């Protein structure tokens, strides 16, 4: 929690959304790898749609790692894609929040219901 003190926007979100904060904590405690995989899946999807890219505030790097595993005496080759987001200036860290529907899926034309729903649904990339 001490590390989060440097990011008042994150603390504010955690305080304003206690149910979300609790659910995130439980998810990380239950299966940290699944949470990390989900983050990578969302980043990859946003990046492939052109919505996650290098900006003056952040540098987005995509790397592919080939991993070989032997399963039941057969070699399986898997390519892991890692989308990494770093601050462009290490002295300044931005905490972006934005509607998930805008960045990870092809959104339908905006309607008042879509805009209202998108305004309520956001997540932090980091």
């Amino acid at each position: 929690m001490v590390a989060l003190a440097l990011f008042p926007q994150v603390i504010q979100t955690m305080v304003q959304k206690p149910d979300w904060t609790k659910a995130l904590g439980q998810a990380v405690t239950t299966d940290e790898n699944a949470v990390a995989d989900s983050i990578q899946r969302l980043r990859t999807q946003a990046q492939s749609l052109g919505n996650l890219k290098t900006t003056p505030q952040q540098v987005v790097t995509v790397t592919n790692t080939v991993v070989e595993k032997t399963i039941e005496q057969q070699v399986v080759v898997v390519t892991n894609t890692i989308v990494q987001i770093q601050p462009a200036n290490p002295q300044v860290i931005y905490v972006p929040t934005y509607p998930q529907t805008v960045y990870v899926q092809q959104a339908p034309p905006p309607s008042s219901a879509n805009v209202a729903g998108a305004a309520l649904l956001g997540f932090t990339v980091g």
Side-chain angles (χ1 to χ4, degrees):
M1 196 66 175
V2 173
L4 289 177
L6 298 173
F7 307 102
Q9 287 175 292
V10 173
I11 293 174
Q12 182 179 10
T13 298
M14 292 173 73
V15 169
Q16 290 175 344
K17 300 179 179 182
D19 292 340
W20 177 86
T21 302
K22 182 179 177 182
L24 177 62
Q26 288 174 337
V28 170
T29 301
T30 302
D31 194 346
E32 186 174 347
N33 289 335
V35 173
D37 289 346
S38 181
I39 290 168
Q40 283 302 313
R41 182 180 48 77
L42 290 169
R43 285 180 179 181
T44 299
Q45 190 175 359
Q47 191 271 336
S48 68
L49 290 171
N51 296 321
L52 180 60
K53 52 192 161 196
T54 296
T55 67
Q57 295 80 23
Q58 67 187 16
V59 176
V60 177
T61 307
V62 180
T63 57
N64 292 307
T65 306
V66 177
V67 179
E68 287 188 14
K69 293 184 179 184
T70 303
I71 300 174
E72 297 180 11
Q73 299 181 355
Q74 292 185 4
V75 176
V76 178
V77 178
V78 178
T79 301
N80 292 330
T81 299
I82 304 295
V83 179
Q84 188 175 27
I85 304 168
Q86 296 291 326
N89 176 354
Q91 301 301 317
V92 180
I93 298 176
Y94 294 89
V95 181
T97 57
Y98 40 80
Q100 179 181 7
T101 55
V102 171
Y103 289 90
V104 298
Q105 63 186 1
Q106 296 284 356
S111 71
S112 58
N114 289 341
V115 172
L120 296 172
L121 179 62
F123 68 95
T124 302
V125 173

